[in-house]
Each structure stands twice: as structure tokens, then as C-alpha cells.
Amino acid sequence: SVLLVRHHSVRPPFCCHLLLAVLAVLAAAAAEARGTAASQAPGAAAMGTGTPPSPSGTAFEETRLHVFTLDYPHVQIPFEITLWILLASLAKIGFHLYHKLPSIVPESCLLILVGLLLGGIIFGAEEKSPPVMNSDVFFLYLLPPIVLDAGYFMPTRLFFENFGTIFWYAVVGTLWNAIGIGISLFGICQISAFGLTDITLLQNLLFGSLISAVDPVAVLAVFENIHVNEQLYILVFGESLLNDAITVVLYNLFKSFCQMRTIQVIDIFAGIANFFIVGIGGVLIGILLGFVAAFTTRFTHKIRVIEPLFVFLYSYLSYITAEMFHLSGIMAITACAMTMNKYVEENVSQKSYTTIKYFMKMLSSVSETLIFIFMGVSTVGKNHEWNWAFVSFTLLFCLIWRALGVFVLTQIINVFRTIPLTFKDQFIIAYGGLRGAICFSLVFLLPPSVFPRKKLFITAVIVVIFFTVFIQGITIRPLVEFLDVKRSNKKQPAVSEEIYNRFFDHVKTGIEDVCGHWGHNFWRDKFKKFDNKYLRRLLIRENQPKSSIVSLYKKLEIKHAIEMAESGMISKVPSSVSLSEYHEGKIKPLSPTEMENMREILTKNLYQIRHRTMSYNRHSLAADANEKQAKEILIRRRHSFRESLRKTNSLSRERPAAANTKRFLSLPKNTKLPEKLRVRNKTSSRVGDSSDSEMDATTTVLNLRPRAGKILREQRLRQQRPPSEFSMEWKNEVDGSQNGQGEQQEPGSLPQPSIGFRQPLLTRPRFGTLSREDLTADHGLARPVPPPRLVRQASQGERQRSKPENQPY
Amino acid sequence: MGGKKPTGVETKEGITDMLFFFSSVSHSQITRLYSRFTSLDKGENGTLSREDFQRIPELAINPLGDRIINAFFPEGEDQVNFRGFMRTLAHFRPIEDNEKSKDQNGPEPLNSRSNKLHFAFRLYDLDKDDKISRDELLQVLRMMVGVNISDEQLGSIADRTIQEADQDGDCAISFAEFVKVLEKVDVEQKMSIRFLH
């Protein structure tokens, strides 16, 4: 890592200067183009269709043929959109080139800065305010991808376990904030010294409701570095989603109130009823469309290519439909994504699934970037009215009410929670109340006729956003680390310490997994029953109960896995040969550098604890590293499992093997080895998703026992060579999976040294099958593949022998 | 009876341990763990076998998964009933503050620091000779690291680990040495689980 730092510290300054220069040029070009477009537009309109307009031609003059023309209006809109997106993405690249920068400064800060810069350039070039983001564009195009991304990657189980708390914070917390800020600001406005007396209570309430929209995007980005616990993560995450919906509802409510002349009591009740209808209606639409999407993907196995399209179309449809009815589109799209997630994941191919995830991340990344840049751009201009009192009190009240709200609400909700929230948790929730794009666009949506002081509001909102994003965003990490100080950082130079710590963590995680997360929750159990009985049958194509880990391995490319195993794993297992090389009493004391190296090696290579929830990362799919680690562990376990299995086989199967030799008579004399091996592997690859198994069904039973006999004989011959036994074992598996390719192995070639076989392998999901069968609820009696059943019906010895093979992995 | 090794045998101490554990765990916690037990028990015969544990997918990708599963099963047995299940889980109960000042006259609770450490020790010590030999350490290490560490490097790491812990020079880690090495580690916190989630 030292090397890496050095390398990067040389390059970025130059690259970033270059990037900035490119950005500036592009922005200037855009401004210039817009300027010329404005003057060209009349010319184009006059000329009509067909010939490209010439700057100087009129309708009556004959124009010469133009060799080179510039027709900007024709492409104006797509050109500008592309340019914006390109600028945004280039800025991101530049940002991430500094490898230290993302950990100090949240990305949103930088994007706003870039936006400010661009806004300044455009302002300077045109002497007028740059185009402000259209609220329709924001709500219809830029917001849905972000919410979809958040909803799709939401860990549903954790979400529902904490749903009460999330709902409490989102609904009551937002109401508390909105009304608190509104009323206190109204109180400030009454003080005539500030010149704000013309702002009514309703306007203040509206302002309060839009400014309490917490946008934790920046906080979530910081969370990855802070290592917050899962409870906290899901609370902030969930709160942000529900929060948005409620803010929009409140906003619309107060806006209509502002536009009504009189407000009767019935209107207030109508408002409350409206809130429920909006929220629940949105959720229902989302769920309905989510089910339709899941059902659709059930039939897409022939046209895999458009599977991702369905996911995006249905979720966007749910958003748009909800907006059409003036219901909460955000809740709809979140509900749709959460519903779709489970079923779609199992129906679509692995490649489609990856495509969906990546595309979603890409869209949301682009949206977020555009929003922040627009925020920066729109800040520069003439949209402002500065009033010290209003702005500063707004900021103050936002902070105070947020802190108060979190504190008070936590005291209440802690009574009902099984795991109470500590002070540190509360601080993070309160301090993490950053405002962002939603309140920004909501303020631009205010109708100026009803709000004569709109510019004041805009200024105040921008100040609050900047403050929270910059100051709070940058300082939250150091503060959390400061609060974490009781996790002592002893500089004990013990190499083993890391090992022990990791060891304990693994043990703890393992026991937690044994205990399970399944609460004694009536509704969840009921839902699960309903789910298994009806929904899964309807919505999933091959209805086999699987967990995501298992489906991961089902879709694993075996070739890659086994190659890795061949190259890396075999030599790494501590066979008895290598262990016996150790000479007692020869530990030499290590120098500090060696110890340092050791510690570094350990830190890099120790397996991570399995995180139950993938930390939300706007920019990458965190699953990859975990998948690799899980792959390695499973392969290694399979190794050692096979080895121990064969050892128990050889030890306890002598009698049955000998007793059943008479069955050999029915076999041809020279049964080729691959067949026998194929047989053995058939019994272990039970689930019938590969079609090769039928062919061998009849031969499998009969061939099993010669296999056992062969193993025994060979074992007796090779008592002293565990490594090659091991490798023979492995090689058998290799051969076994080649049956479709018809490569043959010499029966006598088994004792060969085997560390390096390189046969290409079939892609059969063998790893997945072993664990997958475990999860089927039955005991193997209803398995679709013939061999096990035949095996089971056989004699005691056979059953006994196949039973360890049937042992789930 | 501090420091006595808890065994899986149904001794009087074993039952006392369990009573103590059960009396200090809330009813809802027991109910929840029992429902978990029954949901794992696919054979519905009131005991769990190794296969039932191996069916937990998260355990399959835990590097120490096999060892943890073995820890549930008493010596030489293949089935564990609910009592045994709870007994193992009892080691992971958080230590309450009011227990820390308990007098030493009663049997040491299963979740005392010493017993927690003993549980961890037994995960290393497969042959139950009360020592972690280099081999055993190497096996656990190998389970915990990725493929990029060569055998030699791993061997030297294991050597170093033993060297740091070993005091009587037998190139193995006894239980007392194990405890000493971990005296600064907050084992109580690391090996405690809140049973209710």
C-alpha cells in the first residue's frame, strides 16, 4: 500500500488539472453553443425544413451549397444532456483518482463544488442565471433511479424487523421537525425587526416541511468507513425512504392549504386521511406491480436479454402510476423494488441479475451526480434574497429540532425495542440528518404567486444544504471515531492478536447464524407460510427453496472455481506430509520488520466476517469480495469433506464392499473408469438441473460398489501417500464432470502425481447442488433424480455408504 | 467450583448449569430459541444432527463452520437435544453486571470468562489433550486465511503465535497460556450474543 500511495501522488495533480481544463472548455463550449443557438433559432425557423440554415441567408436569396455547416438547434437538447452527464462523470473520475479524498470529503461535496464552478463559468459567459433544473425533470427522471436503487438493495428482513422504529422516526420525526421548525420560524418572523412579517404561518409550515426532508446519501457514503452496526444502518436508510414520501405529502398538503382561502376543520381531517391514502395507496401499487414483474420474469427464460428491461420498466411504471393518482411515487417504487427483488433474483439468469444491479447503480449514480451539479449551478445566479435572520435561524432550528426530535423519540421508542439505541447511535442519527436534493427541488417548485418571498426560501434552503453537506458531512467521520474511543487502540505488537480477534468474530458470527434471526414473529411466520405455499409457486419458475448463497453457487462458473482450486488450493491444504517437516524447538525470534510483514499478510488475507447486510454503496457492488471469499471457503470445505468422507468410507465399508462383490458379475469386465467415476459423482450431484443424469441412471447402482472396492484396494496400496490420495480424489471429480466430453482416463493411471491436471471441465453446478439439496425440506425421498432413489432402495451397505455422500455439505 | 471443565455429560453440575442458565434467561428468549431449534430439526425427532447444522447456509461459508458445529455435539455423539443445544449457546450469554460480583461459592456459570475461553480453546484443540499443538493451530489458521498465503508463511505465523503465547517452552499452547495471552482481549464482549434480535 505504500507503493500505491507513492504512485498515485505523482499522477493526480496533473490529471486533475487536465480534467478541470477539459471541464472548463466543455462548459464554455456549451455556453457558447447556447448563445449561438439562440441567434440561430430564428434563422432556422425562417428557412423551414431541408436545407441547413446559413447564418446569412434569407428566404429570398439563393444560397450556395454549404460545405460545412453547424446545426446546433437540431441536436441541442440531447447534446446538452449528454454534455452534462459527461461532465458529471468526468468530475467523478477526477474525484476518485485521489485515493485519499473520498474518505475525507463526501462525494456530494465535490459534486456541488463542480456545479458551483460550472455555474460560475456559465454565469460569467452569459451574464445571466444558468438554467435552473426543471422540477418535472427532477421528479420524473432524476429521482426514481435513486429511490429504485435504494429500495432494491434494501435488506428486507432487517428492514421489517425494525419497521416500527423506522416508521416512528420517519413519520413522527418528520412531523415533529416540520411543525417545530415552521412554528419557531413563524415566531421569528413575528419580530418586526427582521423584516419578515409578511410570511404567514402556513408559509412557514410549508417551509418547515420541505426543509425537514433528510437526505442521507452523503451519510450512507460515510457509513461504510465508520462501520456502524446494522441496526443503525437500516434505521437511517429506512428513515430516508419513508421520510421522503412523508415530506412530499406534507408539502403538497400545506401547499394546497396555502392556496385555499379558508381552512376548515374538515380540511385538516381530509389532510390526515389523504396522508394515509397516499402512503398506503402507493405501497399497494408498488406491491401489485412488483408481483406482476415477478410473474413476467417467470417466463423469460427464452429471452434472457430483455430481463433487466422488465425490472426497470415495471418499477418506473409503478412510480409513474402512483404519481398519476397523486399517490406517493417513492413508496410505490420502493415497495415494487422490495417485492420484486426476491422473486426476480431467482428467475433471471446470473448475467441478467448482474446487469440489473450494475445498471441500477449506474442510473442512480448519474442521477445523483446530476442533481448535485445542478444544485451547484443553480446556486450561482440571481435567485437569491439574503436575510441574515431568516437564514441563520433556519439553520439553527434545523439542527436543534433534529437533535431534540431524535433524542425525545429515542427515549420513547427504546421502551419498545429489544435492543435499545445508545447515545452514540442517537448522535449519528441526529448528526446524520443531512439535507439534499429533495428539499432543493421542492423549494424550486413553490409557486411564486403564493410565495412572494420565494427567493428568500431558496437562499435559506441552499445555505442549509451546503452547511449540512459540507460541514456535517466532512466532520461526521472524525466525530464518530472520537466517540468510539473506548474501543481501545493498544499498540500491542502481537501478530497473534489479529488471529484471535478474527477467530472470535467468526465464532460469534457462526453462533449467531445458528441462533438465527427468526424472531418469534407471528406475522412474519404467517407471511412466510403464505409465501411458500402460493407466491413462490406462482412467481418462481423452478420452485426450489434456496437461499441467496445457494443460488450464488448454483450460478457459479465451475470452470473458474475448479481452476482456482487446482492452482491454489491443493498445495495449500496442510497435508500430513508438510506438517511432518516441522522440527521441534526451532522457533527463531523474529525481527520487527518480519513481524510487520506478518501482520500485513494476515490483515490482508484473513477472511472477513460475513456481513449480514451489504453496506450500501452507491458506487460498487460490495458482493464481489464476499463472493470470492465464500467460494474459497466452500471449495476448501468440499475438499476436506471429501477427504474425510473417503477415510470413513474406507474404514467402515470393508464388509459391505466385500459382501457385494457378486454384483460385479453383471457388469462388463472392463468397465471404464470414467463411467465408474461418473457414477460416484452422480450420486453427489443430486439435483437434476443437468440433463446428463438420465443416461447413467441404470448403470449407477451397479457401478457403485466396484468404486468402493477400488478405493479400498488403492488405499491399501497407497497407505503412505496421503497427498496423492487426495489428488486422486480430486482428479476423480475432475474426470467425473467430463462425462459429456467423453475424455477417457486410463484405469491404471490413478496413482499419478496429480497436482497439475488441466483438463477443461464441464460447467455443471456441482457445488451448488450439494448445498441446494440440503435446503429442500424433504429427506431426499422425493428427489427428482433417479440414482439416489435407486441407491436408497439397495442394500444396507449401500445405503450406509451413500448416506455420507448424501450428507449435505 | 471455579475452573472446572464443563462436560457434556449429564452430571449434577451440568444440570445445575442449565438450571442457572434457564433461570436467568427470559421466557421469550427460550421460546424463540426453541422455535429455532425445531425449525432446524428437519427430522422432527427432537434432536439435531450434523446435517441439520450444515443446512444453515451462512454456516457453510463461515471459515470455522465445521468446528462450531462440532462444538455442539458432545463427545462421540451425533445428535444433540435441546438441552445440549442450549448448553452450548449458554456460553454466549452476555455477562450481566450483577453477576460479576457474585460470590464464588456456587458453580461457575457457563458464560463466565473462563468458560467462554474454554469453549474457544476446545475449538482449537481437536484431540482434547489440553494443548494447542502447532498442527492444530495450523489447521485453524489455514481455515481462516485465503489462498494467497503459502504454507511456509503460514507456518511462520503459527510459529510466531506459539512463541508469543508459550511460556513453558513446550511449543504448544496450554489453556493457562491461552488465557494469559487473551487477558487484555475483551472476551466477554466478543463472545456474547444477544439472543433476541
Side-chain angles (χ1 to χ4, degrees):
Chain A
S1 62
V2 174
L3 208 58
L4 213 59
V5 167
R6 253 185 296 146
H7 175 74
H8 276 191
S9 63
V10 171
R11 309 259 322 255
F14 174 67
C15 291
C16 278
H17 293 160
L18 198 59
L19 265 176
L20 281 178
V22 168
L23 288 178
V25 165
L26 284 175
E32 191 56 41
R34 197 174 299 114
T36 50
S39 59
Q40 270 200 353
M47 292 302 288
T49 62
T51 56
S54 80
S56 57
T58 66
F60 303 110
E61 237 178 63
E62 200 178 75
T63 58
R64 300 288 96 191
L65 193 63
H66 295 277
V67 177
F68 175 76
T69 51
L70 175 69
D71 183 9
Y72 186 67
H74 185 62
V75 297
Q76 177 175 4
I77 294 175
F79 194 83
E80 286 185 357
I81 293 175
T82 312
L83 215 57
W84 278 117
I85 300 180
L86 192 60
L87 287 177
S89 313
L90 286 175
K92 270 202 193 213
I93 296 179
F95 179 67
H96 281 284
L97 273 181
Y98 274 116
H99 73 283
K100 258 203 284 188
L101 201 55
S103 62
I104 304 176
V105 177
E107 202 174 277
S108 39
C109 295
L110 185 90
L111 291 173
I112 296 183
L113 282 177
V114 170
L116 279 176
L117 191 69
L118 287 176
I121 293 177
I122 295 180
F123 187 68
E126 288 187 18
E127 292 289 341
K128 66 175 166 70
S129 301
V132 165
M133 176 169 57
N134 195 351
S135 65
D136 267 350
V137 167
F138 174 71
F139 278 109
L140 286 183
Y141 301 116
L142 292 180
L143 183 61
I146 298 182
V147 184
L148 177 62
D149 182 36
Y152 199 80
F153 291 100
M154 171 93 80
T156 36
R157 182 180 57 199
L158 205 53
F159 178 75
F160 284 113
E161 279 175 12
N162 287 295
F163 187 72
T165 316
I166 293 175
F167 195 73
W168 178 251
Y169 275 123
V171 176
V172 181
T174 312
L175 276 175
W176 169 283
N177 276 333
I179 295 180
I181 294 176
I183 293 185
S184 35
L185 270 181
F186 181 64
I188 295 292
C189 288
Q190 297 306 98
I191 303 176
S192 52
F194 296 138
L196 300 167
T197 42
D198 55 335
I199 305 180
T200 68
L201 174 64
L202 270 176
Q203 290 179 344
N204 274 311
L205 280 175
L206 180 57
F207 182 70
S209 73
L210 70 88
I211 198 113
S212 59
V214 170
D215 182 304
V217 168
V219 179
L220 282 175
V222 176
F223 269 11
E224 305 161 47
N225 299 334
I226 296 183
H227 299 298
V228 289
N229 58 30
E230 291 170 340
Q231 298 276 342
L232 200 58
Y233 163 76
I234 198 64
L235 282 178
V236 180
F237 200 11
E239 187 204 346
S240 75
L241 285 180
L242 296 189
N243 186 321
D244 290 343
I246 290 165
T247 304
V248 172
V249 167
L250 271 183
Y251 176 86
N252 285 326
L253 197 68
F254 282 130
K255 196 165 77 155
S256 0
F257 276 3
C258 280
Q259 288 167 325
M260 285 162 55
R261 289 191 191 282
T262 56
I263 300 174
Q264 302 167 347
V265 176
I266 190 81
D267 290 327
I268 298 188
F269 282 115
I272 296 176
N274 185 38
F275 163 69
F276 282 108
I277 289 182
V278 161
I280 296 178
V283 169
L284 282 179
I285 289 185
I287 292 180
L288 181 67
L289 279 170
F291 282 142
V292 174
F295 189 67
T296 312
T297 53
R298 188 178 167 183
F299 302 105
T300 55
H301 48 278
K302 300 281 191 215
I303 28 167
R304 294 279 187 198
V305 193
I306 61 172
E307 273 172 346
L309 195 60
F310 283 116
V311 170
F312 291 107
L313 286 180
Y314 275 111
S315 28
Y316 192 57
L317 189 66
S318 66
Y319 183 81
I320 297 280
T321 313
E323 287 290 320
M324 178 171 72
F325 291 114
H326 281 293
L327 304 175
S328 166
I330 294 175
M331 304 278 287
I333 201 172
T334 309
C336 183
M338 283 168 65
T339 314
M340 237 181 2
N341 193 6
K342 275 198 313 179
Y343 307 108
V344 163
E345 184 179 333
E346 302 194 23
N347 276 339
V348 301
S349 70
Q350 176 69 357
K351 290 203 171 105
S352 298
Y353 187 56
T354 311
T355 309
I356 292 174
K357 288 198 282 191
Y358 266 101
F359 202 68
M360 213 176 271
K361 290 277 180 211
M362 186 183 82
L363 279 180
S364 70
S365 202
V366 165
S367 289
E368 177 199 355
T369 314
L370 279 178
I371 289 172
F372 279 118
I373 288 196
F374 271 127
M375 264 209 280
V377 166
S378 309
T379 307
V380 178
K382 300 206 172 105
N383 269 333
H384 301 291
E385 178 194 335
W386 183 266
N387 181 307
W388 274 106
F390 191 76
V391 170
S392 47
F393 275 107
T394 304
L395 189 58
L396 195 64
F397 286 137
C398 282
L399 295 173
I400 293 179
W401 282 102
R402 173 89 184 156
L404 263 184
V406 168
F407 183 69
V408 168
L409 291 180
T410 312
Q411 298 308 311
I412 300 176
I413 198 72
N414 266 346
V415 173
F416 299 98
R417 282 180 63 84
T418 53
I419 304 182
L421 294 167
T422 65
F423 171 70
K424 175 186 157 200
D425 297 337
Q426 294 173 40
F427 173 77
I428 292 181
I429 296 177
Y431 201 70
L434 309 192
R435 271 64 169 179
I438 297 230
C439 51
F440 181 70
S441 23
L442 283 178
V443 82
F444 272 103
L445 265 185
L446 291 175
S449 53
V450 185
F451 291 88
R453 304 294 290 264
K454 180 173 166 180
K455 291 189 176 177
L456 180 60
F457 288 169
I458 293 178
T459 312
V461 163
I462 288 184
V463 167
V464 169
I465 292 179
F466 275 37
F467 180 85
T468 58
V469 169
F470 281 93
I471 310 282
Q472 280 182 242
I474 294 179
T475 56
I476 190 170
R477 190 157 171 259
L479 276 175
V480 167
E481 286 175 2
F482 175 71
L483 281 180
D484 247 352
V485 80
K486 60 174 174 278
R487 213 193 312 160
S488 60
N489 24 0
K490 3 177 222 286
K491 297 290 178 192
Q492 198 178 3
V495 163
S496 48
E497 182 176 312
E498 175 119 22
I499 300 177
Y500 291 128
N501 282 331
R502 198 61 64 95
F503 176 80
F504 283 126
D505 287 338
H506 280 305
V507 171
K508 179 172 171 175
T509 312
I511 298 281
E512 279 177 344
D513 287 329
V514 170
C515 289
H517 269 280
W518 305 357
H520 202 57
N521 191 330
F522 175 70
W523 289 109
R524 185 177 325 129
D525 294 340
K526 262 217 152 349
F527 174 71
K528 265 200 167 345
K529 284 204 188 93
F530 175 70
D531 189 33
N532 279 331
K533 205 157 161 224
Y534 299 111
L535 292 179
R536 293 182 75 97
R537 290 230 184 111
L538 189 60
L539 298 174
I540 297 184
R541 192 164 18 97
E542 319 161 346
N543 187 13
Q544 314 247 356
K546 314 180 264 214
S547 77
S548 60
I549 294 178
V550 168
S551 52
L552 162 73
Y553 284 92
K554 182 181 168 226
K555 293 162 185 173
L556 201 64
E557 279 184 331
I558 290 298
K559 184 171 179 184
H560 171 67
I562 296 193
E563 267 179 23
M564 187 184 75
E566 285 177 19
S567 59
M569 295 294 302
I570 293 179
S571 55
K572 296 298 179 278
V573 177
S575 60
S576 49
V577 177
S578 70
L579 288 179
S580 61
E581 286 171 4
Y582 169 64
H583 305 290
E584 295 252 347
K586 270 203 185 170
I587 308 177
K588 45 187 207 312
L590 294 173
S591 64
T593 50
E594 282 178 339
M595 257 174 28
E596 190 56 46
N597 280 345
M598 252 189 216
R599 226 173 302 134
E600 246 181 66
I601 293 174
L602 271 181
T603 318
K604 260 197 304 178
N605 281 297
L606 277 175
Y607 283 139
Q608 300 292 324
I609 315 297
R610 190 184 60 79
H611 288 295
R612 227 164 268 114
T613 53
M614 302 301 187
S615 65
Y616 178 73
N617 188 335
R618 184 53 67 70
H619 307 291
S620 63
L621 295 172
D624 300 334
N626 287 344
E627 274 184 29
K628 186 164 167 295
Q629 168 178 325
K631 251 194 253 185
E632 288 178 17
I633 296 177
L634 266 189
I635 289 174
R636 179 182 294 150
R637 288 190 67 199
R638 187 180 168 79
H639 251 316
S640 54
F641 181 69
R642 285 242 169 240
E643 160 133 327
S644 66
L645 175 62
R646 278 190 330 97
K647 285 194 179 134
T648 54
N649 276 348
S650 59
L651 290 173
S652 59
R653 302 295 165 250
E654 298 197 3
R655 207 181 354 102
N660 290 316
T661 48
K662 58 178 179 286
R663 290 243 189 177
F664 289 10
L665 297 177
S666 50
L667 291 177
K669 269 275 180 171
N670 302 324
T671 314
K672 285 221 172 69
L673 193 57
E675 280 183 25
K676 295 186 195 171
L677 298 175
R678 197 187 316 149
V679 157
R680 175 175 166 85
N681 295 316
K682 281 296 181 249
T683 58
S684 56
S685 64
R686 223 126 316 169
V687 187
D689 50 351
S690 54
S691 53
D692 312 333
S693 41
E694 302 93 354
M695 188 176 65
D696 297 321
T698 50
T699 54
T700 49
V701 181
L702 306 172
N703 282 337
L704 277 177
R705 246 147 281 106
R707 181 88 180 88
K710 202 166 181 53
I711 294 178
L712 277 179
R713 285 194 294 276
E714 278 151 1
Q715 275 220 327
R716 274 184 239 118
L717 286 176
R718 268 194 319 273
Q719 291 275 343
Q720 307 301 323
R721 295 174 54 189
S724 52
E725 237 178 27
F726 204 69
S727 52
M728 177 201 78
E729 177 56 44
W730 189 239
K731 187 169 182 167
N732 295 338
E733 292 185 339
V734 166
D735 294 345
S737 59
Q738 288 176 38
N739 46 12
Q741 296 177 353
E743 289 215 18
Q744 303 298 327
Q745 289 290 323
E746 287 293 319
S749 70
L750 281 175
Q752 272 170 12
S754 50
I755 302 279
F757 20 73
R758 297 277 168 259
Q759 290 112 7
L761 302 162
L762 264 190
T763 59
R764 262 182 27 201
R766 298 223 341 268
F767 291 132
T769 55
L770 259 192
S771 2
R772 189 164 138 189
E773 61 169 295
D774 313 337
L775 298 181
T776 56
D778 55 28
H779 298 273
L781 296 174
R783 287 210 188 99
V785 182
R789 256 183 267 134
L790 287 175
V791 168
R792 288 256 160 87
Q793 288 161 12
S795 70
Q796 168 69 28
E798 188 177 24
R799 199 180 312 128
Q800 205 175 353
R801 191 180 49 107
S802 57
K803 188 171 180 302
E805 287 185 16
N806 291 350
Q807 252 178 15
Y809 200 65
Chain B
M1 304 234 218
K4 178 181 185 309
K5 223 192 305 187
T7 64
V9 182
E10 294 209 7
T11 60
K12 177 159 164 280
E13 289 79 17
I15 296 181
T16 319
D17 282 333
M18 293 310 296
L19 284 178
F20 176 76
F21 173 63
F22 274 111
S23 66
S24 53
V25 177
S26 72
H27 177 72
S28 54
Q29 285 175 333
I30 298 179
T31 319
R32 178 169 115 46
L33 287 172
Y34 187 70
S35 75
R36 174 66 171 170
F37 181 85
T38 42
S39 68
L40 287 176
D41 181 13
K42 297 286 190 260
E44 291 178 4
N45 50 358
T47 59
L48 294 179
S49 64
R50 284 202 164 79
E51 296 153 351
D52 293 321
F53 281 102
Q54 282 159 352
R55 239 179 251 124
I56 305 173
E58 290 87 359
L59 219 48
I61 58 169
N62 189 313
L64 301 172
D66 291 327
R67 299 280 173 114
I68 295 173
I69 294 175
N70 276 334
F72 277 90
F73 293 89
E75 186 105 27
E77 293 182 23
D78 277 335
Q79 303 283 333
V80 59
N81 58 10
F82 183 60
R83 177 187 300 170
F85 183 72
M86 290 294 278
R87 186 166 223 292
T88 312
L89 293 182
H91 288 95
F92 285 86
R93 200 167 65 80
I95 298 183
E96 310 288 329
D97 281 331
N98 54 359
E99 289 176 7
K100 286 195 183 137
S101 50
K102 219 164 97 66
D103 59 346
Q104 298 296 320
N105 290 341
E108 197 172 345
L110 281 177
N111 65 334
S112 69
R113 183 191 167 92
S114 164
N115 279 329
K116 285 186 200 280
L117 284 171
H118 216 105
F119 184 83
F121 189 78
R122 273 176 291 148
L123 287 179
Y124 276 101
D125 185 21
L126 281 186
D127 54 4
K128 305 218 191 313
D129 60 352
D130 273 343
K131 281 188 192 308
I132 302 176
S133 64
R134 185 179 185 268
D135 288 358
E136 290 167 343
L137 189 60
L138 257 182
Q139 282 179 31
V140 173
L141 272 179
R142 177 45 76 189
M143 287 161 78
M144 292 209 300
V145 304
V147 296
N148 295 325
I149 297 193
S150 66
D151 275 343
E152 298 81 38
Q153 284 173 320
L154 208 61
S156 54
I157 292 176
D159 290 336
R160 177 75 199 153
T161 309
I162 294 182
Q163 189 183 19
E164 281 168 0
D166 196 15
Q167 284 157 353
D168 54 6
D170 57 353
C171 296
I173 306 179
S174 71
F175 181 60
E177 291 162 356
F178 188 70
V179 171
K180 181 108 191 359
V181 163
L182 293 173
E183 65 186 356
K184 292 211 190 74
V185 173
D186 189 4
V187 174
E188 291 91 335
Q189 200 265 326
K190 275 186 177 301
M191 283 187 63
S192 296
I193 297 176
R194 294 176 180 275
F195 285 117
L196 281 182
H197 273 270

